[in-house]
Amino acid sequence: RKEVEQDPGPFNVPEGATVAFNCTYSNSASQSFFWYRQDCRKEPKLLMSVYSSGNEDGRFTAQLNRASQYISLLIRDSKLSDSATYLCVAKANSGYALNFGKGTSLLVTP
Amino acid sequence: GAGVSQSPSNKVTEKGKDVELRCDPISGHTALYWYRQSLGQGLEFLIYFQGNSAPDKSGLPSDRFSAERTGGSVSTLTIQRTQQEDSAVYLCASSLYGGDAGELFFGEGSRLTVL
């Protein structure tokens, strides 16, 4: 079983829609969590960190539920430019590896 | 630019040949990671370097894979006796401190095709 599991999608949504992605992590020792964005045939880039208290960055909101070991990303008022693959990332307290999920593909259509 | 630089961007090789992939991290970044991404797969951790500490090699898939980082800067990933299943995009990333910093800056990757 992979350490980080995500629904691969694709999620096809119209512009202006709200869309939510979830991911689950298996290692209860994981302490740090992130969402990365990867455009087609490009390198991943950090979108935002995820905190237990939840955090918001413009149209993006990330939540962490430690009890259920899942992380969510909410995108409001979707833009065409939001089309990408969103990678959920967890890091255990020991070691240095950031464990990436396979990603959830989002396509925002006009 | 001052981003992570990787070379070659594309490499086609024959099964059984050795390949070397190079990564030049962002100046001043002490942590350097190698990941690989196969088609339809997530990023698979390979190896981590932090300063002068011993590297974390726990992700290397076999003893055909090795990596070094010279002078705390440039890193080379070597794959010996390549196999077709080694075909993937090899991504290098660096971060300022490693650990829980979280923000990894990735290079554009080296796409390896083994025929």
Side-chain angles (χ1 to χ4, degrees):
Chain A
R1 182 186 171 190
K2 277 195 67 76
E3 295 235 6
V4 179
E5 302 266 11
Q6 294 182 251
D7 179 347
F11 284 65
N12 293 332
V13 302
E15 265 186 297
T18 295
V19 62
F21 309 136
N22 291 327
C23 90
T24 57
Y25 60 95
S26 60
N27 187 346
S28 60
S30 296
Q31 293 293 323
S32 305
F33 307 92
F34 313 92
W35 283 100
Y36 274 69
R37 169 191 169 130
Q38 186 173 26
D39 292 305
C40 188
R41 299 180 76 87
K42 295 286 191 178
E43 72 276 19
K45 293 183 180 179
L46 179 67
L47 178 66
M48 59 198 303
S49 301
V50 186
Y51 306 116
S52 294
S53 55
N55 49 304
E56 189 172 309
D57 183 2
R59 299 181 293 107
F60 298 82
T61 300
Q63 294 277 358
L64 166 65
N65 184 318
R66 287 190 186 274
S68 302
Q69 293 183 208
Y70 83 76
I71 304 151
S72 65
L73 177 68
L74 182 77
I75 305 175
R76 292 180 298 278
D77 187 23
S78 299
K79 310 291 185 191
L80 296 176
S81 57
D82 294 335
S83 298
T85 296
Y86 291 83
L87 306 172
C88 179
V89 184
K91 182 189 172 300
N93 205 28
S94 61
Y96 306 102
L98 272 68
N99 296 308
F100 285 77
K102 291 185 180 181
T104 297
S105 176
L106 171 66
L107 179 63
V108 181
T109 55
Chain B
V4 176
S5 177
Q6 290 188 245
S7 63
S9 54
N10 279 286
K11 176 73 176 179
V12 180
T13 191
E14 292 179 347
K15 178 181 171 181
K17 295 285 179 70
D18 297 351
V19 296
E20 281 191 353
L21 308 176
R22 176 190 166 103
C23 172
D24 200 344
I26 293 172
S27 177
H29 280 196
T30 62
L32 186 148
Y33 298 76
W34 282 98
Y35 283 83
R36 73 175 175 182
Q37 188 171 32
S38 305
L39 190 62
Q41 301 297 313
L43 274 72
E44 177 187 2
F45 168 75
L46 297 177
I47 189 169
Y48 167 85
F49 295 91
Q50 172 64 55
N52 295 321
S53 302
D56 176 0
K57 304 179 181 180
S58 60
L60 295 178
S62 77
D63 59 7
R64 296 186 296 105
F65 288 72
S66 62
E68 63 177 20
R69 187 179 185 191
T70 54
S73 181
V74 172
S75 177
T76 302
L77 177 69
T78 302
I79 309 172
Q80 295 179 310
R81 306 181 302 283
T82 52
Q83 304 295 312
Q84 288 184 330
E85 60 263 29
D86 298 336
S87 296
V89 177
Y90 288 82
L91 291 160
C92 176
S94 70
S95 71
L96 193 54
Y97 300 117
D100 291 325
E103 182 158 20
L104 270 58
F105 294 86
F106 283 87
E108 294 186 346
S110 291
R111 182 175 298 275
L112 175 65
T113 303
V114 182
L115 302 177

